[in-house]
């Protein structure tokens, strides 16, 4: 298991972020070759400083996952020069605590749908034809606990993450007979610096660590999860 992903090409979209850096590092530890699409130059700077041992071996690709043309162009280059990815992990997304629905503008919902659902759709839509042609692949999307039920001030975020969950299930139903596993994880609050700043009075020991979430993602991307299709795996910590 030490090099479980040796010889595999793994795409970790958003793999330089607060959670993504841990997922990227875990796949690297297990021998994967890595492609990491990103949008934030600051995150890349921090990633390189934090993970100098792998930063030079990761293929970093600056691409806006909201731009379907740019995503397609990016992975055409990847396929031509590095081969077809074996694994896609979609970590691109965003959270916002919103106003009540009665005080909301539709733009709030569109923003959450863009950064969570549209990005995931674009990346899946781009890589699926390559995986289908080869007859194998793993896709792990990131939903959220809020996708399972609506709560006050989270309507836009809950709707967007529920869309990711339904997309995951629908893609899985279409491709599971073609050798492709598509699943998602549903984390509660992840212990990142950004979340600590947003919730300074919280008990962080009850939150999900990025390392624990990475372990679940890696499992779903591995041959050990070959019998799992269309699942939404709760990763709630002690919340």
């Amino acid at each position: 298991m030490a090099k479980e992903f040796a010889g595999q090409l793994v795409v970790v979209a958003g793999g330089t972020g607060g959670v993504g850096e841990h997922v990227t590092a875990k796949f690297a530890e297990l021998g994967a070759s890595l492609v990491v699409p990103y949008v934030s130059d600051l995150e890349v700077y921090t990633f390189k400083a934090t993970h100098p041992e792998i930063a030079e071996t990761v293929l970093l690709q600056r691409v806006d996952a909201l731009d379907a043309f740019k995503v397609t162009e990016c992975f055409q280059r990847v396929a031509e020069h590095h081969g077809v990815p074996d694994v896609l992990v979609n970590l691109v997304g965003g959270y916002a605590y919103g106003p009540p629905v009665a005080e909301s503008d539709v733009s709030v919902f569109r923003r959450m749908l863009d950064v969570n659902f549209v990005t995931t759709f674009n990346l899946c839509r781009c890589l699926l034809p390559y995986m289908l042609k080869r007859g194998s692949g793993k896709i792990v999307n990131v939903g959220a606990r809020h996708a399972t039920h609506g709560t006050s001030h989270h309507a836009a975020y809950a709707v967007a993450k529920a869309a990711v969950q339904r997309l995951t299930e629908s893609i899985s139903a279409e491709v599971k007979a073609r050798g492709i596993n598509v699943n998602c994880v549903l984390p509660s609050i992840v212990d990142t610096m950004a979340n600590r700043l947003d919730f300074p009075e919280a008990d962080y020991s009850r939150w999900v660590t990025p390392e624990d979430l990475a372990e679940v993602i890696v499992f779903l991307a591995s041959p050990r999860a070959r019998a799992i299709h269309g699942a939404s795996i709760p990763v709630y910590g002690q919340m």
Side-chain angles (χ1 to χ4, degrees):
M1 181 179 164
K3 296 294 181 182
E4 187 172 21
F5 289 88
Q8 293 195 41
L9 184 61
V10 176
V11 176
V12 183
T16 58
V19 174
E21 64 170 308
H22 296 277
V23 177
T24 300
K26 188 62 181 179
F27 275 111
E29 177 189 329
L30 296 175
S33 298
L34 285 149
V35 177
V36 176
Y38 73 95
V39 292
S40 170
D41 291 330
L42 177 59
E43 283 186 356
V44 168
Y45 176 82
T46 303
F47 174 77
K48 288 182 176 181
T50 308
H51 302 281
E53 72 285 359
I54 65 170
E56 297 307 315
T57 63
V58 171
L59 179 61
L60 293 162
Q61 297 283 294
R62 198 178 202 287
V63 59
D64 182 358
L66 279 172
D67 188 327
F69 176 79
K70 293 295 185 183
V71 171
T72 299
E73 188 178 59
C74 172
F75 286 104
Q76 283 176 343
R77 292 195 305 270
V78 169
E80 288 171 7
H81 297 289
H82 303 279
V84 175
D86 299 279
V87 175
L88 167 63
V89 179
N90 281 312
L91 287 162
V92 180
Y95 165 81
Y97 181 85
V101 173
E103 300 171 14
S104 294
D105 184 87
V106 71
S107 63
V108 175
F109 284 77
R110 285 177 175 152
R111 175 59 182 161
M112 283 292 94
L113 284 164
D114 275 348
V115 299
N116 291 292
F117 171 74
V118 176
T119 55
T120 299
F121 170 80
N122 282 341
L123 287 156
C124 289
R125 172 63 185 85
C126 176
L127 284 176
L128 274 167
Y130 294 104
M131 292 180 174
L132 286 166
K133 185 175 181 180
R134 187 183 54 201
S136 66
K138 306 277 188 179
I139 296 177
V140 183
N141 295 324
V142 177
R145 187 176 190 174
H146 281 294
T148 64
H149 60 280
T151 57
S152 176
H153 294 276
H154 291 103
Y157 182 68
V159 166
K161 286 300 191 180
V164 171
Q165 194 176 2
R166 299 291 86 79
L167 177 69
T168 299
E169 294 163 355
S170 297
I171 295 173
S172 176
E174 293 169 355
V175 303
K176 63 184 178 182
R178 305 278 296 275
I180 301 169
N181 294 74
V182 186
N183 297 289
C184 71
V185 291
L186 304 178
S188 59
I189 302 177
V190 182
D191 188 6
T192 64
M193 184 55 67
N195 283 337
R196 287 192 177 206
L197 291 173
D198 286 340
F199 303 99
E201 304 302 321
D203 179 358
Y204 308 135
S205 68
R206 299 181 62 200
W207 291 359
V208 177
T209 69
E211 294 85 356
D212 284 345
L213 182 56
E215 290 284 355
V216 179
I217 290 170
V218 165
F219 167 72
L220 289 174
S222 76
R224 292 171 287 142
R226 62 184 176 274
I228 302 175
H229 297 274
S232 297
I233 308 297
V235 189
Y236 294 166
Q238 297 175 30
M239 299 297 291

